[in-house]
Amino acid sequence: ASRRARASRRARARTMMYHYVDPQGREQGPFAYAHLAKWFKAGYLRPNLGCRRQDETTYARTVTQALLEDGAMHGVPEHMLGEVVRPTTAARTGGGGATTVNVPPPPATTATTSVGRSEEDVAECMERLMMVLDHVLAIVLEGGLRAEFGEVWMDMLHTPPPWTLETTLRELKANWGSLFSTQPRRMREIEVLLDAAIRQRKNQPIAAGGLARDVSSAAVALLNACPKTFPPEVIEHLRVAWEECEKIRAHLHA
């Protein structure tokens, strides 16, 4: 498919939001397909919860059915649909038996001459970056809270899970000092990413030109500041996310 067709499909998918009925019978939403998929895999959404797309009037489908049947319109290849509804335990890992695994530091900053990037190229980079952060920062937040506070970890939150990237960043900002006291504070980076997440929620361009470079640099710096004493499976998520964000940062700075 052409870049224009992919961009059109992404724009349409962003307007296709979803609602679900929680176990208490309350309607929740609207949320993006990507958020439903992430929360489903993390075990926050029961497979049989009623779900409807924003252009539907009744809860005729379950969350599982909606994720499977609508995957194609959100760019999920047919052979990957099974992975969308396959639960994972990575985000539910407790703090016991943590092993230190080093995350590679960012490369030394060098002077570069920025070349022009098309708006479409920047938009694709930003969309991928936000998707990676949405996935990994929720794991980092929950992992840190579980390790520090054990069974009462949810009492430390202003907003209980499931989280959007915006609420994850707000919780990281509020809890960073108590969770990661030995790590450098990254409030400026969190603010930069929070502004980008708010713009994404409002379906506005996340960033353009120099702002996109600032957002990608903030993502790399924030991930590099995360503690390195999580269980290995959490660290692996962190490592992969760091590499993805660094590739995007390098591309935008090239």
Side-chain angles (χ1 to χ4, degrees), residues 19-40:
H19 299 259
Y20 69 88
V21 179
D22 68 20
Q24 288 72 46
R26 298 171 299 197
E27 182 179 80
Q28 303 289 348
F31 300 113
Y33 178 92
H35 285 131
L36 289 187
K38 181 186 75 168
W39 297 336
F40 187 94

Side-chain angles (χ1 to χ4, degrees), residues 114-172:
S114 179
V115 298
R117 298 288 180 192
S118 70
E119 290 184 7
E120 191 172 321
D121 185 24
V122 171
E124 287 186 2
C125 287
M126 288 294 98
E127 187 169 329
R128 174 61 183 164
L129 183 85
M130 301 302 273
M131 187 182 304
V132 170
L133 292 176
D134 189 28
H135 170 71
V136 75
L137 290 182
I139 295 175
V140 167
L141 175 61
E142 182 172 338
L145 288 170
R146 283 179 178 274
E148 185 70 19
F149 300 107
E151 293 182 358
V152 298
W153 68 276
M154 289 186 66
D155 294 343
M156 306 299 115
L157 297 165
H158 294 90
T159 305
W163 302 298
T164 63
L165 176 56
E166 184 180 341
T167 52
T168 299
L169 287 164
R170 292 189 190 281
E171 291 294 342
L172 277 174

Side-chain angles (χ1 to χ4, degrees), residues 90-91 93-94 136 139-140 143 230-239:
T93 304
V136 75
I139 295 175
V140 167
F230 288 117
E233 58 267 35
V234 176
I235 287 291
E236 180 61 14
H237 280 281
L238 189 58
R239 182 190 66 78

Side-chain angles (χ1 to χ4, degrees), residues 44-223:
Y44 291 123
L45 298 182
R46 297 177 184 175
N48 62 348
L49 292 178
C51 183
R52 70 174 179 87
R53 203 169 54 227
Q54 197 149 295
D55 60 343
E56 297 170 338
T57 57
T58 62
Y59 287 91
R61 300 188 290 174
T62 64
V63 171
T64 306
Q65 289 171 326
L67 290 173
L68 289 173
E69 294 169 3
D70 292 2
M73 74 170 61
H74 293 276
V76 180
E78 185 175 355
H79 69 279
M80 291 296 293
L81 287 174
E83 290 298 318
V84 172
V85 295
R86 190 190 307 278
T88 179
T89 58
R92 312 294 265 169
T93 304
T99 302
T100 299
V101 182
N102 289 328
V103 176
T109 302
T110 57
T112 58
T113 301
S114 179
V115 298
R117 298 288 180 192
S118 70
E119 290 184 7
E120 191 172 321
D121 185 24
V122 171
E124 287 186 2
C125 287
M126 288 294 98
E127 187 169 329
R128 174 61 183 164
L129 183 85
M130 301 302 273
M131 187 182 304
V132 170
L133 292 176
D134 189 28
H135 170 71
V136 75
L137 290 182
I139 295 175
V140 167
L141 175 61
E142 182 172 338
L145 288 170
R146 283 179 178 274
E148 185 70 19
F149 300 107
E151 293 182 358
V152 298
W153 68 276
M154 289 186 66
D155 294 343
M156 306 299 115
L157 297 165
H158 294 90
T159 305
W163 302 298
T164 63
L165 176 56
E166 184 180 341
T167 52
T168 299
L169 287 164
R170 292 189 190 281
E171 291 294 342
L172 277 174
K173 181 179 178 181
N175 289 286
W176 189 277
S178 58
L179 287 179
F180 313 136
S181 57
T182 61
Q183 301 301 115
R185 294 180 68 83
R186 295 294 184 184
M187 295 303 103
R188 188 188 71 81
E189 287 81 358
I190 290 177
E191 286 293 343
V192 169
L193 296 172
L194 186 55
D195 179 69
I198 292 171
R199 293 179 66 83
Q200 184 183 47
R201 170 171 57 81
K202 294 180 177 179
N203 287 325
Q204 297 173 348
I206 296 171
L211 288 178
R213 293 192 289 273
D214 290 345
V215 171
S216 62
S217 294
V220 172
L222 181 60
L223 293 180

